[in-house]
Amino acid sequence: MAMSQAIHLRDQSDVLDDFSVEVTTKDTAQLAAMSGAIPKGTIISIPFLSTESDADRIRAAKMVRQAGYVPLPHIAARRLGSESILSAMLSALVNDAQVSRLLLVAGDADPPKGPFLDTATILRSGILEQHGISNVSIAGHPEGHPVQNAAMLTSALLEKRLIMEAANIEWSIFTQFAFASEPVLAWIGELRRLGIEVPIHIGIPGPASVRTLLKFAAVCGVSASTSVLKKYGLSITQLLSSAGPDALVNEYATGLSNAEYGDVRLHFYPFGGLHKTVDWLQEYRTRPS
């Protein structure tokens, strides 16, 4: 999307325009009752968890579609045993849940279980186009990656961009969650300077205890210093309290009013449970500006 078409986020209601939510397969059954807080047509991303089967993932995508939402299944490249396994899963996702978009991640299997070393390997294979996948999202890491340095991450992103644009695949970026807006906005600004103008969905941690947030931060390699947590509105001494991302979302509501950031939306990770995140969304949306 060109800069002139950028979404401007000026107040609390605008900042929630076109948000998306990650929902695990076991929680997708709850979506049918949540249309009051999650508008129909919202993108619902479905993570590729090692504890779940392909049948679970396909069933979850179908339930998301039946509830009136847009399923965005994750595909973990390094966890796929063969090209035929991927082909069978894509066929079922398309036929059973009318999936037309995916989020590709490398996955953490080491060594890879099959022929796909990374997301670029899947993109180069042509298998997505064969199954009618017309929109692909890739992962973004504003605060870095445990294995790859910044230069490697940028190089990999630019490589995937070239592959997708050559194949006429629409694409976007979904970021890891962060506790502070400054590094994320700086990262987005750098991508825009590189000419990357696609939609970027910023990861937001949903309401959860600080203990839970720190656990996920450690697993995901997210910066979680004491100063950052305080800015997020938390205290290390409140490890059993439940917190919402109010301060962080307010920062984005202000920062994203700058048109240079282009098309940027919020993507919620409901670490404390889907209902807590939905309750927070309803409460935040009804506050006076």
Side-chain angles (χ1 to χ4, degrees), residues 119-230:
T119 59
T121 312
I122 292 179
L123 291 170
R124 281 193 295 265
S125 72
I127 193 171
L128 301 183
E129 300 96 296
Q130 293 170 18
H131 288 276
I133 301 300
S134 58
N135 191 307
V136 171
S137 298
I138 60 175
H141 303 276
E143 294 186 310
H145 188 276
V147 177
Q148 296 179 300
N149 60 35
M152 294 168 65
L153 289 170
T154 300
S155 176
L157 193 155
L158 293 174
E159 177 191 14
K160 286 175 276 194
R161 170 195 182 184
L162 288 174
I163 298 170
M164 288 186 284
E165 291 182 352
N168 292 317
I169 294 175
E170 292 185 45
W171 65 289
S172 60
I173 299 170
F174 278 71
T175 80
Q176 185 53 271
F177 75 95
F179 290 119
S181 65
E182 290 93 335
V184 178
L185 293 176
W187 177 82
I188 294 172
E190 180 58 29
L191 292 189
R192 299 314 191 200
R193 285 187 286 275
L194 290 171
I196 297 172
E197 299 179 359
V198 299
I200 297 176
H201 301 250
I202 300 172
I204 303 291
S209 70
V210 181
R211 188 183 301 278
T212 297
L213 292 172
L214 290 177
K215 179 188 74 173
F216 280 103
V219 170
C220 300
V222 171
S223 172
S225 67
T226 301
S227 61
V228 167
L229 287 173
K230 285 181 177 178

Side-chain angles (χ1 to χ4, degrees), residues 179 205-217 229 232 234-236 238-244 270-273 276:
F179 290 119
S209 70
V210 181
R211 188 183 301 278
T212 297
L213 292 172
L214 290 177
K215 179 188 74 173
F216 280 103
L229 287 173
Y232 181 58
L234 309 175
S235 167
I236 293 294
Q238 296 175 308
L239 288 177
L240 297 179
S241 70
S242 184
F271 297 130
K276 280 187 178 181

Side-chain angles (χ1 to χ4, degrees), residues 1 42-43 46 52 59 100-101 135 146 157 182 199 237 248 252 262 265 267 280 286:
M1 180 176 289
T42 296
I43 294 174
I46 307 165
E52 296 168 344
R59 183 166 52 253
S100 62
R101 59 195 304 159
N135 191 307
L157 193 155
E182 290 93 335
T237 62
L248 183 60
Y252 283 123
R265 314 168 193 188
H267 178 64
W280 182 90
T286 56

Side-chain angles (χ1 to χ4, degrees), residues 37-86:
I38 305 177
K40 298 294 186 180
T42 296
I43 294 174
I44 303 294
S45 73
I46 307 165
F48 194 104
L49 301 179
S50 60
T51 55
E52 296 168 344
S53 68
D54 290 348
D56 293 330
R57 300 176 185 110
I58 294 160
R59 183 166 52 253
K62 186 176 180 179
M63 294 182 75
V64 169
R65 179 65 71 186
Q66 289 175 337
Y69 300 107
V70 178
L72 180 66
H74 297 199
I75 300 292
R78 296 170 67 89
R79 294 186 191 172
L80 298 169
S82 68
E83 186 169 316
S84 62
I85 289 175
L86 174 57

